[in-house]
Amino acid sequence: MYSTPRFLQGVFAFEGKGLDEPAPLNPSLSWTVPAGTTGQAVYFRGGNASDELICVVLVRDGAPMRYFPVGAKGDVHVPLRVLEDLAAGTTVELWLAAPAGLNGTVIVDLGLVEI
């Protein structure tokens, strides 16, 4: 079986809009599964340099799919290991939810595979 790894990753500054109001973090944190293939999320790693809890949200086609809370000045590693297939044409994005007015920096690394 042939597969190609894909990554949504980087270091991003943010300003929180509220824990109940996730918003896109950066336009580069978006991937659409190409026609004729299937995608799978393999892992998520994240770090939070702020003094408060934040939540990185994996969004599929505009709807929340998974929530990854990242503690104050903390990090998280979540192995996803083929929880579900992402059909061709599906778009996944990383959004962020943080307390309103909170400014900080987040490091994200979402590993995917295209099959």
Side-chain angles (χ1 to χ4, degrees):
M1 177 185 301
Y2 177 75
S3 65
T4 304
R6 303 289 180 207
F7 304 96
L8 301 181
Q9 58 189 4
V11 179
F12 303 95
F14 67 85
E15 181 176 347
K17 297 182 183 346
L19 282 171
D20 58 345
E21 293 188 40
L25 184 55
N26 187 282
S28 69
L29 297 174
S30 178
W31 178 64
T32 300
V33 181
T37 66
T38 300
Q40 296 174 341
V42 179
Y43 69 85
F44 171 79
R45 288 190 292 235
N48 172 15
S50 78
D51 291 329
E52 296 190 43
L53 173 80
I54 63 168
C55 190
V56 178
V57 183
L58 177 58
V59 174
R60 176 180 50 203
D61 293 331
M65 180 177 169
R66 300 275 183 277
Y67 289 81
F68 304 107
V70 186
K73 298 205 183 283
D75 61 84
V76 64
H77 178 141
V78 181
L80 299 171
R81 294 199 178 86
V82 193
L83 292 177
E84 59 191 276
D85 289 341
L86 302 167
T90 300
T91 298
V92 292
E93 301 170 290
L94 289 177
W95 291 16
L96 184 95
L102 177 67
N103 290 298
T105 303
V106 63
I107 301 167
V108 295
D109 179 12
L110 177 66
L112 303 128
V113 66
E114 177 184 316
I115 304 169

